[in-house]
Amino acid sequence: MDDDLNDGKSQPESVAAVLKVFAILQALSERSDTGISELSVRLAMPKATVYRFLQTMKTLGYVRQETDSERYGLAMKTFELGAKAMQYPDLIDLSKHHMQLLADTTGETVHLGTLIDSEIIYVHKVDSRHMLGMYSRVGRRAPLHCTAIGKVLMAWEHPDRRDRILGAAEFQRFREKTITDAAAFRAELERVRAQGFGEDREEFDDHIRCLGVPIFDRLGQPIAGLSVSFPTFRYDDAKAPEVVAMLQAASRDISTRLGCSRFPLDEKA
């Protein structure tokens, strides 16, 4: 085995194969239900090569193939692998029950998100019971500056780390109401912390309002965010405090189970 690893002739081919596998996985993560021809064009790989790797990954359980369209997508085993890399592997299990209750009570989509680089990534969700709701998927990334989860993660983050994260963030405009100025965003974070929850006021997706709160670890640091998303025509300002109270109660229980002894949302900003 060691001789094989040190073989100067075989190693470049092995490295190239690994790079191709991860390129395919990355492409499937960005667009699910993709055909071989499309992957071949996007990745500049021969169709036969793409097919060979896909079949191997399918056999291993990391890729699924739709029987009717013969298109490919990531399998749940890929998510399970990623979930094991989470710093707090119990987070999803501890949050599932509360998220389902929130979805049942509000009828809306509930998200759990964590920080990755200078973005958030959705690690779990419960869909709205209505046909019209927020489009999202587990594994989807979203910006910090125009999402409720991103705002609460930054509002309670340690100042030094927050400065470092925001220094790498791009304040891209997605909608008319998107905050695109760093100073304005910092002022927004002060408001978020003072009121105890974050809001997305049609800043990322058209006609979508979100309310979110942070979840804390044993050191009182924000490690995730929990949010409820509403189409604007079902959002009611008068009922928002009730939703926020449910979110905060859920966060308090999850945070406590993660070892947080002093819940920061119970303290004044």
Side-chain angles (χ1 to χ4, degrees), residues 212-238:
V213 298
I215 293 172
F216 302 92
D217 66 5
R218 63 183 181 84
L219 300 176
Q221 294 298 308
I223 61 163
L226 189 64
S227 71
V228 180
S229 301
F230 303 79
T232 51
F233 68 89
R234 284 202 301 267
Y235 181 82
D236 186 346
D237 275 317

Side-chain angles (χ1 to χ4, degrees), residues 92-109:
I92 294 176
D93 285 338
L94 292 175
S95 303
K96 282 180 179 178
H97 173 67
H98 289 290
M99 293 177 69
Q100 189 63 60
L101 286 178
L102 282 163
D104 291 344
T105 303
T106 65
E108 305 296 348
T109 302

Side-chain angles (χ1 to χ4, degrees), residues 28-30 32 74 76 78-80 82-83 86 92 99 109-113 120-127 135-141:
L28 291 175
S29 75
E30 294 169 354
S32 107
L74 295 180
M76 280 302 297
T78 313
F79 173 73
E80 292 169 1
M86 291 180 63
I92 294 176
M99 293 177 69
T109 302
V110 180
H111 288 103
L112 179 69
I120 63 167
I121 184 169
Y122 297 122
V123 296
H124 189 57
K125 66 171 290 194
V126 179
D127 286 312
Y135 165 75
S136 64
R137 58 181 172 80
V138 171
R140 182 192 186 192
R141 291 196 184 199

Side-chain angles (χ1 to χ4, degrees), residues 33 44 47 58 65 107 111 138 157 169 176 184 197 224 229 231 259 263:
D33 297 332
K47 290 183 181 180
K58 177 183 173 184
Q65 183 180 16
H111 288 103
V138 171
E157 184 56 82
E176 182 181 350
F197 65 95
S229 301
F263 189 54

